[in-house]
Amino acid sequence: MSSTPFSPPGPEAKVFVISVAAELSGLHPQTLRTYDRLGLVEAGRTGGGGRRYSLRDIELLRTVARLTAEGLGLEGVKRVIELENQVLALQEKVAELQAALAQTKLPQNLPALIADQHVVIWHQKRR
């Protein structure tokens, strides 16, 4: 019998049934269904149609609960989540571009002056 080492599912794996996700997030299962219908948190589905949630989904559910407790409406919560996702994507892109820039051999402080060359700036005379 060959035994492969156990590897736990990652934070994106949709493994929690709705009752467990509700308990972990501190919300009622019906609230989770509503959030799924509104597109706030998209649950995975089993072959039989049951909802499954990931650790990331549960974190997101907690965020939704916190924002609504602070007085934000569900449409506002949806917009905040969209903006947070945009910020994360942009931060990843900046890090990617910084890494690519670090790999180049071009000078980092532009404009770079090269020996025996001069920069001339022309200004039009004002009348």
Short mmCIF file of all heavy atoms in Angstrom, two decimals, residues 11-73:
data_model
loop_
_atom_site.label_atom_id
_atom_site.label_comp_id
_atom_site.label_asym_id
_atom_site.label_seq_id
_atom_site.Cartn_x
_atom_site.Cartn_y
_atom_site.Cartn_z
N PRO A 11 -6.66 27.76 0.70
CA PRO A 11 -7.69 28.70 1.13
C PRO A 11 -8.78 28.93 0.09
O PRO A 11 -9.85 29.44 0.40
CB PRO A 11 -6.92 29.99 1.41
CG PRO A 11 -5.63 29.85 0.69
CD PRO A 11 -5.36 28.39 0.58
N GLU A 12 -8.55 28.52 -1.15
CA GLU A 12 -9.55 28.70 -2.21
C GLU A 12 -10.44 27.48 -2.38
O GLU A 12 -11.44 27.54 -3.10
CB GLU A 12 -8.85 29.01 -3.54
CG GLU A 12 -8.00 30.27 -3.54
CD GLU A 12 -8.80 31.55 -3.36
OE1 GLU A 12 -9.98 31.58 -3.75
OE2 GLU A 12 -8.24 32.51 -2.82
N ALA A 13 -10.08 26.35 -1.74
CA ALA A 13 -10.85 25.11 -1.91
C ALA A 13 -12.22 25.25 -1.25
O ALA A 13 -12.34 25.60 -0.08
CB ALA A 13 -10.08 23.94 -1.30
N LYS A 14 -13.25 24.96 -2.03
CA LYS A 14 -14.64 25.06 -1.55
C LYS A 14 -15.00 23.76 -0.84
O LYS A 14 -15.43 22.80 -1.48
CB LYS A 14 -15.58 25.33 -2.72
CG LYS A 14 -15.19 26.50 -3.60
CD LYS A 14 -15.84 27.75 -3.15
CE LYS A 14 -15.56 28.88 -4.15
NZ LYS A 14 -16.08 30.14 -3.69
N VAL A 15 -14.77 23.73 0.47
CA VAL A 15 -14.94 22.47 1.21
C VAL A 15 -15.96 22.55 2.35
O VAL A 15 -16.39 21.51 2.85
CB VAL A 15 -13.58 22.01 1.81
CG1 VAL A 15 -12.62 21.63 0.70
CG2 VAL A 15 -12.98 23.05 2.72
N PHE A 16 -16.38 23.73 2.74
CA PHE A 16 -17.28 23.86 3.90
C PHE A 16 -18.74 23.92 3.46
O PHE A 16 -19.10 24.73 2.61
CB PHE A 16 -16.94 25.13 4.70
CG PHE A 16 -15.56 25.12 5.27
CD1 PHE A 16 -14.56 25.89 4.69
CD2 PHE A 16 -15.24 24.35 6.38
CE1 PHE A 16 -13.27 25.89 5.20
CE2 PHE A 16 -13.95 24.34 6.90
CZ PHE A 16 -12.97 25.11 6.31
N VAL A 17 -19.57 23.07 4.07
CA VAL A 17 -21.00 23.12 3.81
C VAL A 17 -21.55 24.40 4.43
O VAL A 17 -20.91 25.03 5.28
CB VAL A 17 -21.74 21.88 4.37
CG1 VAL A 17 -21.29 20.61 3.66
CG2 VAL A 17 -21.56 21.77 5.87
N ILE A 18 -22.75 24.77 4.02
CA ILE A 18 -23.31 26.06 4.43
C ILE A 18 -23.46 26.19 5.94
O ILE A 18 -23.21 27.27 6.50
CB ILE A 18 -24.64 26.33 3.69
CG1 ILE A 18 -25.05 27.80 3.88
CG2 ILE A 18 -25.72 25.36 4.12
CD1 ILE A 18 -26.15 28.25 2.95
N SER A 19 -23.81 25.12 6.63
CA SER A 19 -23.99 25.21 8.08
C SER A 19 -22.66 25.51 8.78
O SER A 19 -22.60 26.29 9.72
CB SER A 19 -24.61 23.93 8.64
OG SER A 19 -23.79 22.81 8.34
N VAL A 20 -21.58 24.90 8.30
CA VAL A 20 -20.26 25.14 8.88
C VAL A 20 -19.79 26.55 8.54
O VAL A 20 -19.28 27.28 9.40
CB VAL A 20 -19.24 24.09 8.40
CG1 VAL A 20 -17.84 24.41 8.86
CG2 VAL A 20 -19.65 22.70 8.87
N ALA A 21 -19.98 26.97 7.30
CA ALA A 21 -19.59 28.32 6.89
C ALA A 21 -20.36 29.36 7.69
O ALA A 21 -19.81 30.39 8.09
CB ALA A 21 -19.82 28.51 5.39
N ALA A 22 -21.63 29.10 7.93
CA ALA A 22 -22.45 30.03 8.71
C ALA A 22 -21.91 30.14 10.13
O ALA A 22 -21.78 31.24 10.68
CB ALA A 22 -23.91 29.57 8.72
N GLU A 23 -21.58 29.02 10.72
CA GLU A 23 -21.05 29.03 12.08
C GLU A 23 -19.70 29.73 12.15
O GLU A 23 -19.46 30.54 13.04
CB GLU A 23 -20.93 27.59 12.60
CG GLU A 23 -20.57 27.54 14.08
CD GLU A 23 -20.64 26.13 14.64
OE1 GLU A 23 -21.45 25.32 14.16
OE2 GLU A 23 -19.86 25.86 15.57
N LEU A 24 -18.83 29.44 11.19
CA LEU A 24 -17.50 30.06 11.19
C LEU A 24 -17.55 31.57 10.93
O LEU A 24 -16.70 32.31 11.40
CB LEU A 24 -16.60 29.39 10.15
CG LEU A 24 -16.20 27.95 10.45
CD1 LEU A 24 -15.49 27.33 9.26
CD2 LEU A 24 -15.33 27.88 11.70
N SER A 25 -18.54 32.00 10.16
CA SER A 25 -18.65 33.42 9.83
C SER A 25 -19.52 34.19 10.83
O SER A 25 -19.51 35.42 10.83
CB SER A 25 -19.21 33.60 8.42
OG SER A 25 -20.55 33.12 8.37
N GLY A 26 -20.28 33.46 11.64
CA GLY A 26 -21.15 34.12 12.61
C GLY A 26 -22.44 34.61 11.98
O GLY A 26 -23.12 35.48 12.55
N LEU A 27 -22.80 34.09 10.82
CA LEU A 27 -24.01 34.51 10.12
C LEU A 27 -24.99 33.36 10.01
O LEU A 27 -24.63 32.19 10.17
CB LEU A 27 -23.65 35.01 8.71
CG LEU A 27 -22.72 36.22 8.66
CD1 LEU A 27 -22.24 36.46 7.24
CD2 LEU A 27 -23.44 37.46 9.19
N HIS A 28 -26.24 33.68 9.73
CA HIS A 28 -27.28 32.67 9.55
C HIS A 28 -27.16 32.07 8.14
O HIS A 28 -26.81 32.79 7.20
CB HIS A 28 -28.66 33.33 9.74
CG HIS A 28 -29.76 32.34 9.85
ND1 HIS A 28 -30.38 31.80 8.74
CD2 HIS A 28 -30.37 31.80 10.93
CE1 HIS A 28 -31.31 30.96 9.13
NE2 HIS A 28 -31.33 30.94 10.45
N PRO A 29 -27.44 30.79 7.98
CA PRO A 29 -27.36 30.18 6.65
C PRO A 29 -28.20 30.91 5.59
O PRO A 29 -27.79 31.03 4.44
CB PRO A 29 -27.87 28.75 6.86
CG PRO A 29 -27.55 28.47 8.29
CD PRO A 29 -27.73 29.78 9.01
N GLN A 30 -29.36 31.43 5.99
CA GLN A 30 -30.19 32.16 5.03
C GLN A 30 -29.49 33.43 4.56
O GLN A 30 -29.61 33.83 3.40
CB GLN A 30 -31.56 32.50 5.64
CG GLN A 30 -32.55 33.05 4.63
CD GLN A 30 -32.80 32.07 3.48
OE1 GLN A 30 -32.92 30.86 3.67
NE2 GLN A 30 -32.86 32.58 2.26
N THR A 31 -28.72 34.05 5.44
CA THR A 31 -27.95 35.24 5.07
C THR A 31 -26.90 34.86 4.03
O THR A 31 -26.69 35.60 3.06
CB THR A 31 -27.28 35.85 6.32
OG1 THR A 31 -28.30 36.13 7.29
CG2 THR A 31 -26.53 37.11 6.00
N LEU A 32 -26.25 33.71 4.21
CA LEU A 32 -25.27 33.26 3.23
C LEU A 32 -25.93 33.02 1.87
O LEU A 32 -25.36 33.37 0.83
CB LEU A 32 -24.58 31.97 3.71
CG LEU A 32 -23.36 32.16 4.61
CD1 LEU A 32 -23.68 32.88 5.89
CD2 LEU A 32 -22.70 30.85 4.88
N ARG A 33 -27.13 32.46 1.88
CA ARG A 33 -27.85 32.24 0.61
C ARG A 33 -28.15 33.58 -0.07
O ARG A 33 -28.00 33.72 -1.29
CB ARG A 33 -29.15 31.47 0.87
CG ARG A 33 -28.93 30.03 1.27
CD ARG A 33 -30.27 29.30 1.48
NE ARG A 33 -30.04 27.99 2.04
CZ ARG A 33 -30.11 27.70 3.35
NH1 ARG A 33 -30.41 28.65 4.23
NH2 ARG A 33 -29.88 26.48 3.78
N THR A 34 -28.56 34.55 0.72
CA THR A 34 -28.86 35.88 0.18
C THR A 34 -27.61 36.51 -0.41
O THR A 34 -27.63 37.06 -1.52
CB THR A 34 -29.43 36.80 1.29
OG1 THR A 34 -30.63 36.20 1.80
CG2 THR A 34 -29.73 38.19 0.76
N TYR A 35 -26.51 36.44 0.31
CA TYR A 35 -25.25 37.01 -0.18
C TYR A 35 -24.80 36.32 -1.47
O TYR A 35 -24.25 36.96 -2.36
CB TYR A 35 -24.16 36.92 0.88
CG TYR A 35 -24.36 37.83 2.08
CD1 TYR A 35 -23.54 37.73 3.18
CD2 TYR A 35 -25.37 38.78 2.12
CE1 TYR A 35 -23.70 38.55 4.29
CE2 TYR A 35 -25.55 39.60 3.22
CZ TYR A 35 -24.71 39.48 4.30
OH TYR A 35 -24.87 40.29 5.39
N ASP A 36 -25.05 35.01 -1.56
CA ASP A 36 -24.71 34.27 -2.77
C ASP A 36 -25.57 34.77 -3.94
O ASP A 36 -25.07 35.03 -5.03
CB ASP A 36 -24.90 32.78 -2.54
CG ASP A 36 -24.36 31.91 -3.68
OD1 ASP A 36 -23.57 32.42 -4.51
OD2 ASP A 36 -24.72 30.72 -3.73
N ARG A 37 -26.87 34.93 -3.70
CA ARG A 37 -27.78 35.41 -4.76
C ARG A 37 -27.39 36.81 -5.23
O ARG A 37 -27.50 37.13 -6.41
CB ARG A 37 -29.23 35.42 -4.26
CG ARG A 37 -29.93 34.10 -4.39
CD ARG A 37 -31.43 34.23 -4.21
NE ARG A 37 -31.83 34.80 -2.93
CZ ARG A 37 -31.93 34.13 -1.79
NH1 ARG A 37 -31.65 32.83 -1.77
NH2 ARG A 37 -32.30 34.71 -0.68
N LEU A 38 -26.94 37.66 -4.30
CA LEU A 38 -26.56 39.03 -4.63
C LEU A 38 -25.17 39.12 -5.26
O LEU A 38 -24.76 40.18 -5.72
CB LEU A 38 -26.61 39.91 -3.38
CG LEU A 38 -27.99 40.13 -2.77
CD1 LEU A 38 -27.88 40.88 -1.46
CD2 LEU A 38 -28.90 40.87 -3.75
N GLY A 39 -24.42 38.02 -5.22
CA GLY A 39 -23.09 38.01 -5.80
C GLY A 39 -22.01 38.57 -4.88
O GLY A 39 -20.90 38.85 -5.33
N LEU A 40 -22.32 38.73 -3.61
CA LEU A 40 -21.32 39.22 -2.66
C LEU A 40 -20.28 38.15 -2.37
O LEU A 40 -19.08 38.44 -2.31
CB LEU A 40 -21.98 39.65 -1.35
CG LEU A 40 -22.75 40.96 -1.41
CD1 LEU A 40 -23.58 41.14 -0.14
CD2 LEU A 40 -21.82 42.13 -1.61
N VAL A 41 -20.73 36.93 -2.17
CA VAL A 41 -19.85 35.79 -1.92
C VAL A 41 -20.39 34.65 -2.78
O VAL A 41 -21.53 34.24 -2.63
CB VAL A 41 -19.86 35.36 -0.44
CG1 VAL A 41 -18.99 34.15 -0.22
CG2 VAL A 41 -19.41 36.51 0.44
N GLU A 42 -19.58 34.19 -3.72
CA GLU A 42 -20.02 33.15 -4.64
C GLU A 42 -19.61 31.78 -4.14
O GLU A 42 -18.43 31.42 -4.17
CB GLU A 42 -19.46 33.42 -6.03
CG GLU A 42 -19.99 34.71 -6.63
CD GLU A 42 -19.39 35.03 -7.98
OE1 GLU A 42 -18.82 34.12 -8.61
OE2 GLU A 42 -19.51 36.19 -8.38
N ALA A 43 -20.59 31.05 -3.68
CA ALA A 43 -20.34 29.70 -3.17
C ALA A 43 -20.13 28.75 -4.34
O ALA A 43 -20.68 28.95 -5.42
CB ALA A 43 -21.52 29.23 -2.32
N GLY A 44 -19.34 27.71 -4.08
CA GLY A 44 -19.21 26.63 -5.06
C GLY A 44 -20.45 25.76 -4.95
O GLY A 44 -21.24 25.89 -4.01
N ARG A 45 -20.64 24.88 -5.92
CA ARG A 45 -21.81 24.00 -5.90
C ARG A 45 -21.39 22.55 -6.05
O ARG A 45 -20.45 22.24 -6.78
CB ARG A 45 -22.76 24.34 -7.06
CG ARG A 45 -23.37 25.72 -7.00
CD ARG A 45 -24.31 25.82 -5.83
NE ARG A 45 -24.95 27.14 -5.82
CZ ARG A 45 -26.16 27.35 -5.40
NH1 ARG A 45 -26.89 26.35 -4.96
NH2 ARG A 45 -26.64 28.55 -5.40
N THR A 46 -22.10 21.70 -5.35
CA THR A 46 -21.89 20.26 -5.51
C THR A 46 -22.75 19.80 -6.67
O THR A 46 -23.57 20.56 -7.20
CB THR A 46 -22.31 19.49 -4.24
OG1 THR A 46 -23.72 19.67 -4.05
CG2 THR A 46 -21.55 19.97 -3.01
N GLY A 47 -22.60 18.53 -7.06
CA GLY A 47 -23.42 17.98 -8.13
C GLY A 47 -24.90 18.06 -7.80
O GLY A 47 -25.74 18.24 -8.69
N GLY A 48 -25.24 17.96 -6.54
CA GLY A 48 -26.64 18.03 -6.10
C GLY A 48 -27.13 19.45 -5.86
O GLY A 48 -28.27 19.65 -5.46
N GLY A 49 -26.27 20.44 -6.05
CA GLY A 49 -26.68 21.84 -5.89
C GLY A 49 -26.37 22.44 -4.54
O GLY A 49 -26.68 23.62 -4.30
N GLY A 50 -25.79 21.66 -3.62
CA GLY A 50 -25.46 22.21 -2.30
C GLY A 50 -24.32 23.22 -2.39
O GLY A 50 -23.43 23.10 -3.22
N ARG A 51 -24.37 24.22 -1.54
CA ARG A 51 -23.34 25.25 -1.53
C ARG A 51 -22.12 24.78 -0.75
O ARG A 51 -22.23 24.12 0.28
CB ARG A 51 -23.89 26.53 -0.91
CG ARG A 51 -24.88 27.25 -1.78
CD ARG A 51 -25.46 28.47 -1.04
NE ARG A 51 -26.23 29.32 -1.91
CZ ARG A 51 -27.52 29.14 -2.17
NH1 ARG A 51 -28.17 28.13 -1.63
NH2 ARG A 51 -28.16 29.97 -2.97
N ARG A 52 -20.94 25.17 -1.23
CA ARG A 52 -19.68 24.90 -0.54
C ARG A 52 -18.88 26.19 -0.49
O ARG A 52 -18.84 26.95 -1.47
CB ARG A 52 -18.86 23.83 -1.28
CG ARG A 52 -19.48 22.46 -1.29
CD ARG A 52 -19.44 21.83 0.11
NE ARG A 52 -19.87 20.44 0.11
CZ ARG A 52 -21.13 20.05 0.31
NH1 ARG A 52 -22.05 20.94 0.52
NH2 ARG A 52 -21.43 18.78 0.31
N TYR A 53 -18.23 26.42 0.63
CA TYR A 53 -17.49 27.66 0.86
C TYR A 53 -16.02 27.34 1.17
O TYR A 53 -15.70 26.33 1.75
CB TYR A 53 -18.10 28.44 2.02
CG TYR A 53 -19.50 28.93 1.72
CD1 TYR A 53 -20.60 28.12 1.96
CD2 TYR A 53 -19.70 30.19 1.19
CE1 TYR A 53 -21.89 28.57 1.68
CE2 TYR A 53 -20.99 30.64 0.90
CZ TYR A 53 -22.07 29.82 1.14
OH TYR A 53 -23.33 30.27 0.84
N SER A 54 -15.15 28.28 0.80
CA SER A 54 -13.72 28.16 1.09
C SER A 54 -13.37 29.04 2.29
O SER A 54 -14.19 29.83 2.77
CB SER A 54 -12.91 28.63 -0.13
OG SER A 54 -13.07 30.03 -0.30
N LEU A 55 -12.13 28.90 2.77
CA LEU A 55 -11.67 29.78 3.84
C LEU A 55 -11.72 31.24 3.41
O LEU A 55 -12.07 32.12 4.19
CB LEU A 55 -10.25 29.39 4.27
CG LEU A 55 -10.12 28.13 5.09
CD1 LEU A 55 -8.65 27.78 5.31
CD2 LEU A 55 -10.84 28.27 6.42
N ARG A 56 -11.35 31.51 2.15
CA ARG A 56 -11.42 32.88 1.62
C ARG A 56 -12.86 33.39 1.64
O ARG A 56 -13.10 34.54 1.96
CB ARG A 56 -10.88 32.94 0.20
CG ARG A 56 -9.41 32.84 0.11
CD ARG A 56 -8.78 34.07 -0.53
NE ARG A 56 -7.45 33.76 -1.00
CZ ARG A 56 -6.39 33.71 -0.23
NH1 ARG A 56 -6.49 33.92 1.05
NH2 ARG A 56 -5.22 33.42 -0.73
N ASP A 57 -13.81 32.52 1.27
CA ASP A 57 -15.21 32.90 1.31
C ASP A 57 -15.63 33.27 2.73
O ASP A 57 -16.36 34.26 2.94
CB ASP A 57 -16.11 31.77 0.80
CG ASP A 57 -15.93 31.46 -0.67
OD1 ASP A 57 -15.52 32.36 -1.43
OD2 ASP A 57 -16.18 30.30 -1.05
N ILE A 58 -15.19 32.50 3.70
CA ILE A 58 -15.54 32.76 5.09
C ILE A 58 -14.94 34.09 5.55
O ILE A 58 -15.60 34.88 6.23
CB ILE A 58 -15.14 31.57 5.99
CG1 ILE A 58 -16.03 30.37 5.64
CG2 ILE A 58 -15.25 31.93 7.47
CD1 ILE A 58 -15.60 29.05 6.18
N GLU A 59 -13.70 34.38 5.15
CA GLU A 59 -13.09 35.68 5.46
C GLU A 59 -13.93 36.80 4.84
O GLU A 59 -14.16 37.83 5.47
CB GLU A 59 -11.67 35.74 4.94
CG GLU A 59 -10.68 34.88 5.68
CD GLU A 59 -9.31 34.85 5.00
OE1 GLU A 59 -9.06 35.65 4.08
OE2 GLU A 59 -8.49 34.01 5.40
N LEU A 60 -14.36 36.59 3.61
CA LEU A 60 -15.17 37.59 2.91
C LEU A 60 -16.52 37.76 3.61
O LEU A 60 -17.00 38.89 3.76
CB LEU A 60 -15.35 37.18 1.46
CG LEU A 60 -16.06 38.16 0.54
CD1 LEU A 60 -15.42 39.55 0.58
CD2 LEU A 60 -16.07 37.63 -0.89
N LEU A 61 -17.12 36.68 4.05
CA LEU A 61 -18.38 36.76 4.79
C LEU A 61 -18.21 37.58 6.07
O LEU A 61 -19.07 38.40 6.42
CB LEU A 61 -18.90 35.36 5.13
CG LEU A 61 -19.45 34.56 3.95
CD1 LEU A 61 -19.60 33.09 4.33
CD2 LEU A 61 -20.78 35.14 3.49
N ARG A 62 -17.11 37.38 6.74
CA ARG A 62 -16.83 38.17 7.96
C ARG A 62 -16.67 39.64 7.63
O ARG A 62 -17.11 40.51 8.37
CB ARG A 62 -15.57 37.64 8.65
CG ARG A 62 -15.77 36.30 9.32
CD ARG A 62 -14.49 35.81 9.94
NE ARG A 62 -14.69 34.53 10.60
CZ ARG A 62 -13.69 33.74 10.97
NH1 ARG A 62 -12.44 34.08 10.75
NH2 ARG A 62 -13.95 32.60 11.58
N THR A 63 -16.02 39.93 6.49
CA THR A 63 -15.87 41.32 6.05
C THR A 63 -17.23 41.94 5.76
O THR A 63 -17.50 43.07 6.16
CB THR A 63 -14.97 41.39 4.80
OG1 THR A 63 -13.68 40.87 5.14
CG2 THR A 63 -14.83 42.80 4.28
N VAL A 64 -18.09 41.21 5.06
CA VAL A 64 -19.43 41.70 4.76
C VAL A 64 -20.18 41.97 6.06
O VAL A 64 -20.82 43.02 6.21
CB VAL A 64 -20.20 40.69 3.86
CG1 VAL A 64 -21.66 41.12 3.71
CG2 VAL A 64 -19.54 40.56 2.50
N ALA A 65 -20.09 41.05 7.01
CA ALA A 65 -20.78 41.23 8.30
C ALA A 65 -20.26 42.47 9.02
O ALA A 65 -21.04 43.24 9.58
CB ALA A 65 -20.59 39.98 9.16
N ARG A 66 -18.95 42.67 9.00
CA ARG A 66 -18.37 43.84 9.67
C ARG A 66 -18.84 45.14 9.02
O ARG A 66 -19.24 46.08 9.69
CB ARG A 66 -16.84 43.75 9.65
CG ARG A 66 -16.14 44.93 10.32
CD ARG A 66 -14.62 44.81 10.27
NE ARG A 66 -14.06 44.51 8.97
CZ ARG A 66 -13.88 45.41 7.99
NH1 ARG A 66 -14.24 46.66 8.17
NH2 ARG A 66 -13.37 45.05 6.84
N LEU A 67 -18.80 45.17 7.68
CA LEU A 67 -19.18 46.39 6.98
C LEU A 67 -20.67 46.71 7.15
O LEU A 67 -21.04 47.88 7.32
CB LEU A 67 -18.84 46.28 5.49
CG LEU A 67 -17.34 46.29 5.17
CD1 LEU A 67 -17.11 45.95 3.69
CD2 LEU A 67 -16.71 47.62 5.52
N THR A 68 -21.51 45.70 7.13
CA THR A 68 -22.94 45.95 7.34
C THR A 68 -23.20 46.37 8.79
O THR A 68 -24.05 47.23 9.04
CB THR A 68 -23.80 44.73 6.97
OG1 THR A 68 -23.36 43.59 7.70
CG2 THR A 68 -23.75 44.46 5.48
N ALA A 69 -22.44 45.81 9.73
CA ALA A 69 -22.59 46.22 11.14
C ALA A 69 -22.16 47.67 11.33
O ALA A 69 -22.66 48.36 12.23
CB ALA A 69 -21.77 45.31 12.05
N GLU A 70 -21.26 48.15 10.48
CA GLU A 70 -20.81 49.54 10.54
C GLU A 70 -21.78 50.48 9.84
O GLU A 70 -21.55 51.68 9.77
CB GLU A 70 -19.41 49.67 9.95
CG GLU A 70 -18.34 49.01 10.79
CD GLU A 70 -16.97 48.97 10.12
OE1 GLU A 70 -16.83 49.48 9.00
OE2 GLU A 70 -16.04 48.42 10.75
N GLY A 71 -22.87 49.91 9.27
CA GLY A 71 -23.91 50.75 8.68
C GLY A 71 -23.91 50.84 7.17
O GLY A 71 -24.72 51.57 6.59
N LEU A 72 -23.05 50.11 6.50
CA LEU A 72 -23.00 50.14 5.04
C LEU A 72 -24.07 49.22 4.48
O LEU A 72 -24.28 48.13 4.99
CB LEU A 72 -21.61 49.68 4.59
CG LEU A 72 -21.04 50.23 3.30
CD1 LEU A 72 -21.04 51.74 3.30
CD2 LEU A 72 -19.64 49.72 3.08
N GLY A 73 -24.76 49.68 3.44
CA GLY A 73 -25.75 48.84 2.76
C GLY A 73 -25.06 47.78 1.92
O GLY A 73 -23.86 47.88 1.64
#
